[in-house]
């Protein structure tokens, strides 16, 4: 029998942590999908497999070294998240990410949200 891996938390804890992240991002984005700009149903209203269900989309994809940290995510419909796949983030993704940083008060010197855009 294999010993459980001590490096990764149990599945239930990971799901709870990811759900908390999604709830925070949902609130910061006001329930708007970062992919299509349409409203996303409440987190508890849809099954996770439904195309309109809210999902955590990694701005820097996991395949390119992105993390599960809240700062690396935006909320999208499942279908919008799957359409992007592991391609580079769009300008909208970066704008939503900057908005989330500002809403959470996580703006640091040198971060995209603190950049002066010629104003």
């Amino acid at each position: 029998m294999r010993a459980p891996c001590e490096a990764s938390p149990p599945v239930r804890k990971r799901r709870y942590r990811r759900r908390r992240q999604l709830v925070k991002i949902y609130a910061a984005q006001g329930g708007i999908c970062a992919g299509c700009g349409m409203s996303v149903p409440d987190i508890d209203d849809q099954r996770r497999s439904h195309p309109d269900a809210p999902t955590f989309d990694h701005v820097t994809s996991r395949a390119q070294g992105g993390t599960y940290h809240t700062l690396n995510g935006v909320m999208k419909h499942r279908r919008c998240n799957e359409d992007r796949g592991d391609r580079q983030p769009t300008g909208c993704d970066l704008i939503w990410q900057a908005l989330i940083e500002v809403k959470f008060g996580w703006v640091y010197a040198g971060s995209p949200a603190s950049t002066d855009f010629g104003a």
Side-chain angles (χ1 to χ4, degrees):
M1 184 172 165
R2 274 178 57 189
C5 180
E6 294 179 19
S8 65
V11 173
R12 189 175 288 184
K13 283 187 178 181
R14 277 189 305 227
R15 283 187 188 146
Y16 178 71
R17 185 176 62 233
R18 290 180 189 159
R19 180 170 166 33
R20 273 194 340 233
Q21 285 179 324
L22 192 59
V23 167
K24 287 179 183 179
I25 293 173
Y26 185 92
Q29 289 184 212
I32 303 296
C33 174
C36 64
M38 302 298 291
S39 65
V40 178
D42 191 22
I43 292 170
D44 296 323
D45 288 350
Q46 296 287 340
R47 292 179 49 107
R48 289 188 314 177
S49 60
H50 193 278
D52 287 338
T55 59
F56 181 90
D57 182 30
H58 297 88
V59 175
T60 303
S61 69
R62 298 277 297 142
Q64 297 170 351
T67 64
Y68 281 110
H69 194 277
T70 307
L71 283 177
N72 186 37
V74 293
M75 182 200 53
K76 290 184 178 180
H77 292 112
R78 176 166 301 286
R79 60 186 152 77
C80 296
N81 192 349
E82 290 173 355
D83 285 346
R84 186 179 142 229
D86 65 350
R87 291 188 301 268
Q88 292 291 325
T90 64
C92 291
D93 293 336
L94 299 175
I95 290 170
W96 279 106
Q97 183 183 31
L99 172 83
I100 290 168
E101 288 181 7
V102 169
K103 292 252 183 164
F104 289 148
W106 292 336
V107 180
Y108 302 107
S111 72
S114 65
T115 305
D116 181 17
F117 293 105

